Amino acid sequence: MVAVATDSDGNVFAGGYTSGDLFGESAGSNDFWLAKYNASSGTRLWAIQDGTSSGDILDAVATDSDGNVFAGGYTYGDLFGGSAGSRSEEHTSEL
């Protein structure tokens, strides 16, 4: 885990990267993951794991006052339709 944020209800969003099967089958070298946990019980509400056959790193999570969650990181693969080639490509996505 390398990134943590909370929303206005106190729910926790944790994210990072894994080299194996964490919340699903590994897509390759490193996959990014993001999970949401209930503020009062700590119960995991949902989790995603995704990536390419190359390295995919989630290293930032943020929320806003409207309840949106933003995740950022980088990839060495073709994650969102465009290869970074030999260098990493940074992405930020609203979830």
Side-chain angles (χ1 to χ4, degrees):
M1 178 176 48
V2 296
V4 177
T6 58
D7 64 15
S8 59
D9 294 327
N11 296 308
V12 175
F13 296 86
Y17 58 95
T18 181
S19 59
D21 299 344
L22 184 62
F23 299 116
E25 186 176 340
S26 176
S29 176
N30 286 316
D31 293 347
F32 71 87
W33 63 268
L34 182 64
K36 179 179 181 180
Y37 295 89
N38 180 275
S40 58
S41 68
T43 303
R44 187 175 72 226
L45 301 175
W46 54 259
I48 59 169
Q49 175 181 343
D50 203 359
T52 67
S53 60
S54 299
D56 308 294
I57 308 296
L58 183 149
D59 60 7
V61 176
T63 61
D64 66 14
S65 59
D66 293 327
N68 298 306
V69 180
F70 301 89
Y74 58 94
T75 181
Y76 289 94
D78 184 6
L79 187 59
F80 295 118
S83 176
S86 62
R87 66 171 184 80
S88 65
E89 186 170 325
E90 297 184 17
H91 293 284
T92 302
S93 296
E94 180 181 350
L95 304 171

